[in-house]
Amino acid sequence: LQDILDLPELAELKVVAGSAGLNRVACWSHIVEMPDVAEWVHAGDLLFTTGIGIHTDLSQLSHIVRECHAKGVAGLIINIGPYIPQTPEFILALADELDFPILELPWQVRLSEVIRVIYNFIAMKQFGDTVLQEILESILYGNAANYHNLITRAASYDYNLGQPQQIMVIKFDNLESYLRESVVLTEQQVRVHKLQIQNTIRSVFDSHNKKILMMLRLDTAIIMLPTLATHEEQSKTRKIAEELSQDFKTRYEGLNLFIGWGNPCETIAGAPKGLSQAEQAMKVAQTVMGHHRFSAFDDLGFYKVLFNVKDREELENFRSEVLKNLLAYDLKHNAQLVETLTVFLEENENFTSVSERLFIHRNTLKYRLQKIADISGRNLTDPKDRMLLYFATTVHRFLAISHDNVYSGR
């Protein structure tokens, strides 16, 4: 809606309430005059009303606003005139409470012309987004011979593929259940909800003057952004990831996400490798990073080596050699000794930090560590044994996160 308000042809369209909802996505625009709007509207509709259908009973506007909000309508434009001389204060308060945008349009402005401008803008925006998504798909999964053509096509939409690019992956680990819990039932509601999620992502990048290419595949958003390999630019990428994580925590309570990004590539020919790096970073963030929920490929350390090991059986044999007895004990007694050992080594043997992460008492931790030493036969105070255990627990986590690779279709 904010994009629509920025159109110079619509300068007389004014927001009077619900401005916090201006990030809502509008997919269609039309006039509805019936008080019982639920039967005639869909998620993503931007509605106009003159008030002729409510016969001067302005109290019915409350019902209309609540119904529109429940259906996922983008907003309501009131044509101020003989039927609704001004938007009632109780409607303004309700709209602000619901973050549901109410806009006013003077009576003398032709509705048909405003609807035409909005419709054309929406159609062109949707077409442009589709083309840019197709370009991104071709870069990541298509024919390398088409790169020159892709660069030319992207330039016509003001996106410069000739500069270094970076791939970021955002994985929503519970998107479908989140949509169900949000009572998103119809196909249109699901579509609008996913468009809203993409719009939230774009707004964060926009705030950093980053125009992006993006596509949503199943429960994963794949993003290409222009960037450089400088410390300053990579710090900005990390800040964007932090803001995305915080934004979604605030806007979409209960929707968990994990973010990973690869190294910048000088040309788009390196984008598929950048995608693989981003997926690896995201999977480590999902399993290892705890509350941070995001990771750069450069953060992976020893995991980089493990992702390049082709023989999984060798890793499994190494894990079994070092952790076999602990894993067997955990399986039989649900003792969480391997998890305790992993956190103990990650936290550099800081008892306070380990106890807080595991939600256990310090004495319980001491008991578990003694148990680990007895069962494994390793001395936790010996540097060589600690190093071996660290590598083994890292391999154990890696085997869990590298079991499949479904994000890029491989």
Side-chain angles (χ1 to χ4, degrees):
L1 287 187
Q2 185 60 61
D3 293 337
I4 290 172
L5 285 168
D6 290 339
L7 295 174
E9 303 96 319
L10 303 181
E12 295 183 271
L13 198 58
K14 303 296 182 184
V15 181
V16 293
S19 58
L22 290 177
N23 65 326
R24 293 189 182 214
V25 174
C27 303
W28 193 254
S29 183
H30 61 98
I31 300 172
V32 171
E33 298 291 8
M34 302 297 292
D36 190 11
V37 298
E39 297 182 27
W40 310 100
V41 301
H42 301 90
D45 284 354
L46 177 58
L47 302 181
F48 287 79
T49 184
T50 65
I52 191 173
I54 60 177
H55 304 295
T56 70
D57 182 7
L58 296 184
S59 64
Q60 294 188 61
L61 279 174
S62 293
H63 171 74
I64 291 173
V65 168
R66 291 187 185 279
E67 287 285 300
C68 287
H69 175 68
K71 291 283 286 189
V73 168
L76 179 65
I77 299 176
I78 298 177
N79 199 194
I80 298 299
Y83 305 105
I84 305 179
Q86 65 180 36
T87 307
E89 288 295 328
F90 65 88
I91 292 299
L92 300 180
L94 176 61
D96 282 334
E97 177 188 336
L98 299 175
D99 292 337
F100 179 77
I102 299 288
L103 302 89
E104 291 183 347
L105 186 70
W107 185 261
Q108 62 269 24
V109 179
R110 293 177 60 185
L111 282 183
S112 59
E113 179 61 19
V114 173
I115 291 175
R116 183 191 66 80
V117 170
I118 292 175
Y119 173 75
N120 286 342
F121 174 79
I122 291 173
M124 291 300 295
K125 181 74 165 59
Q126 291 176 345
F127 180 77
D129 287 348
T130 300
V131 171
L132 291 174
Q133 178 174 314
E134 290 173 354
I135 290 173
L136 180 56
E137 289 179 344
S138 297
I139 291 171
L140 297 176
Y141 311 113
N143 189 341
N146 293 327
Y147 284 155
H148 178 72
N149 180 48
L150 294 174
I151 292 172
T152 303
R153 288 179 65 197
S156 67
Y157 287 90
D158 197 32
Y159 192 94
N160 183 6
L161 285 174
Q163 59 185 326
Q165 306 287 325
Q166 189 166 33
I167 303 296
M168 177 179 285
V169 169
I170 303 176
K171 169 71 164 59
F172 303 97
D173 74 340
N174 59 339
L175 183 58
E176 293 305 317
S177 62
Y178 175 82
L179 293 177
R180 287 195 299 270
E181 290 170 3
S182 299
V183 200
V184 178
L185 302 175
T186 69
E187 184 177 338
Q188 174 66 5
Q189 285 174 308
V190 170
R191 175 173 174 266
V192 169
H193 219 77
K194 289 184 176 180
L195 285 172
Q196 191 67 55
I197 286 171
Q198 293 182 71
N199 193 52
T200 300
I201 293 171
R202 286 188 192 280
S203 66
V204 174
F205 282 94
D206 286 345
S207 69
H208 290 270
N209 297 315
K210 294 283 188 182
K211 185 169 184 176
I212 62 173
L213 303 185
M214 175 169 50
M215 60 182 175
L216 191 62
R217 307 187 83 188
L218 299 177
D219 56 2
T220 303
I222 302 174
I223 298 158
M224 174 178 278
L225 62 144
T227 190
L228 298 172
T230 64
H231 175 74
E232 181 182 1
E233 280 288 284
Q234 292 312 296
S235 295
K236 181 180 289 187
T237 300
R238 186 176 298 276
K239 184 172 180 58
I240 288 171
E242 291 175 355
E243 290 181 12
L244 282 167
S245 183
Q246 185 58 48
D247 233 32
F248 272 85
K249 184 178 180 181
T250 303
R251 293 178 184 270
Y252 304 94
E253 185 178 358
L255 179 59
N256 298 322
L257 77 163
F258 304 92
I259 306 171
W261 61 96
N263 293 331
C265 47
E266 287 299 317
T267 68
I268 57 175
K273 180 179 179 181
L275 174 60
S276 178
Q277 293 175 345
E279 289 171 342
Q280 291 173 18
M282 180 276 297
K283 297 190 84 170
V284 171
Q286 186 178 11
T287 309
V288 178
M289 295 302 181
H291 65 279
H292 291 299
R293 297 176 180 267
F294 54 82
S295 173
F297 180 71
D298 275 348
D299 296 337
L300 301 193
F302 183 53
Y303 283 98
K304 287 185 186 178
V305 177
L306 296 179
F307 273 112
N308 285 291
V309 175
K310 304 302 180 184
D311 191 345
R312 182 182 176 89
E313 186 177 353
E314 284 293 327
L315 294 177
E316 291 174 342
N317 289 340
F318 172 71
R319 174 180 64 178
S320 179
E321 177 185 331
V322 181
L323 300 178
K324 181 180 179 180
N325 292 339
L326 290 174
L327 290 168
Y329 188 89
D330 278 350
L331 184 63
K332 183 176 181 179
H333 301 282
N334 190 27
Q336 300 178 310
L337 295 184
V338 173
E339 181 185 5
T340 301
L341 174 62
T342 302
V343 175
F344 179 70
L345 295 171
E346 284 181 351
E347 294 293 339
N348 200 26
E349 305 171 37
N350 185 314
F351 273 63
T352 301
S353 298
V354 176
S355 298
E356 289 176 353
R357 277 186 61 180
L358 295 175
F359 301 103
I360 59 176
H361 192 272
R362 193 181 182 91
N363 290 338
T364 303
L365 175 59
K366 290 180 179 179
Y367 170 79
R368 287 187 185 180
L369 292 175
Q370 185 58 53
K371 202 76 174 174
I372 289 168
D374 294 342
I375 294 173
S376 67
R378 307 286 178 182
N379 183 354
L380 297 184
T381 63
D382 182 86
K384 291 182 179 180
D385 274 353
R386 285 204 312 274
M387 181 176 67
L388 189 65
L389 289 168
Y390 173 76
F391 284 141
T393 53
T394 303
V395 168
H396 177 61
R397 274 191 163 176
F398 171 79
L399 290 171
I401 68 177
S402 64
H403 186 263
D404 59 9
N405 191 0
V406 300
Y407 307 105
S408 62
R410 290 191 296 275

